[in-house]
Amino acid sequence: MELGYVIAGLTVGFVVGLTGVGGGSLMTPILLWFGINPATAVGTDLLYACITKMGGVAVHHKHKQIDWRITGYLAAGSIPASLLTLVALHFMKLDTQAANSLIKVMLGFALMLTALAILFKPLILRLLTRLLPKRPEGYVPAKATVVTGVVLGVIVTLSSIGAGALGTLAIFALYPLLPTARLVGTEIAHAVPLTLVAGIGHASMGNMDYGLLSQLLVGSLPGIWLGSHMTRRVAEQWLRPALAIMMALIGAKLVM
């Protein structure tokens, strides 16, 4: 048991429970810092995110905070896109160095996009509210939702991040009348099958460290519980921007 991995899981779990920031945005860079190669870091983090968010799905479903129709449309785009991305990676037969370089670049761009989404989320939501046409309650733009799922499927499969902050903003853009609780619950419900499929695909290509995964979960599960119970005691308006700036800097370093 590597204490460092347990502490990393505890830290990320605590931050996710506290702020709602996606675990992949933090965990994958931490694994790279530990010296884990990018492909293994992405594959391991995908299953880590899947298992971590399963508990969230149960809670949100219990409180009827998931729109399963929207989740289905997103999954109809993201899961096939994830499978096609995995097939493309397999048939490209990239050597280890080339595959790691591709994943690092995608990870860098995804981190920077996620940082922008977190840092300017209130402003983006206000602009979307003003610019988007008024739609009747219950309106479902099915085609646009499926296309959004396709984009998220590719980004998440290649980088393990993006389903959280980017997914939430995308769902809000498509469904501005959706209550916040259902918005968050729907995003989490969509993230679980997507990260499961992408994680299993990476595992089939050998991009998985099960020992590392178990050690991360040992820390993250109690961390999420603790963070969720301390949300009101920490100034989120300071913590989230600090995390966003950190992600942007890490992303820029990976791309350059």
Side-chain angles (χ1 to χ4, degrees), residues 162-248:
L166 297 180
T168 300
L169 286 176
I171 295 172
F172 180 82
L174 293 169
Y175 303 91
L177 297 179
L178 196 68
T180 301
R182 287 177 69 83
L183 176 72
V184 174
T186 301
E187 178 275 314
I188 291 175
H190 168 244
V192 169
L194 172 56
T195 52
L196 176 63
V197 169
I200 291 174
H202 276 276
S204 70
M205 294 188 288
N207 301 332
M208 181 65 59
D209 187 326
Y210 292 101
L212 171 61
L213 174 63
S214 64
Q215 293 173 70
L216 295 175
L217 290 173
V218 166
S220 72
L221 296 178
I224 289 172
W225 181 88
L226 181 62
S228 298
H229 284 76
M230 293 187 63
T231 300
R232 297 180 181 179
R233 302 183 186 181
V234 178
E236 184 180 337
Q237 66 267 29
W238 296 108
L239 184 58
R240 288 176 70 92
L243 291 170
I245 293 170
M246 180 187 70
M247 290 178 201

Side-chain angles (χ1 to χ4, degrees), residues 84-95:
L84 288 174
T85 302
L86 291 165
V87 169
L89 286 174
H90 174 74
F91 282 103
M92 286 170 67
K93 297 188 182 298
L94 298 174
D95 59 55

Side-chain angles (χ1 to χ4, degrees), residues 63-78:
H63 292 92
K64 299 182 179 180
Q65 294 172 349
I66 297 175
D67 190 314
W68 290 106
R69 180 175 52 173
I70 297 174
T71 301
Y73 281 126
L74 287 169
S78 66

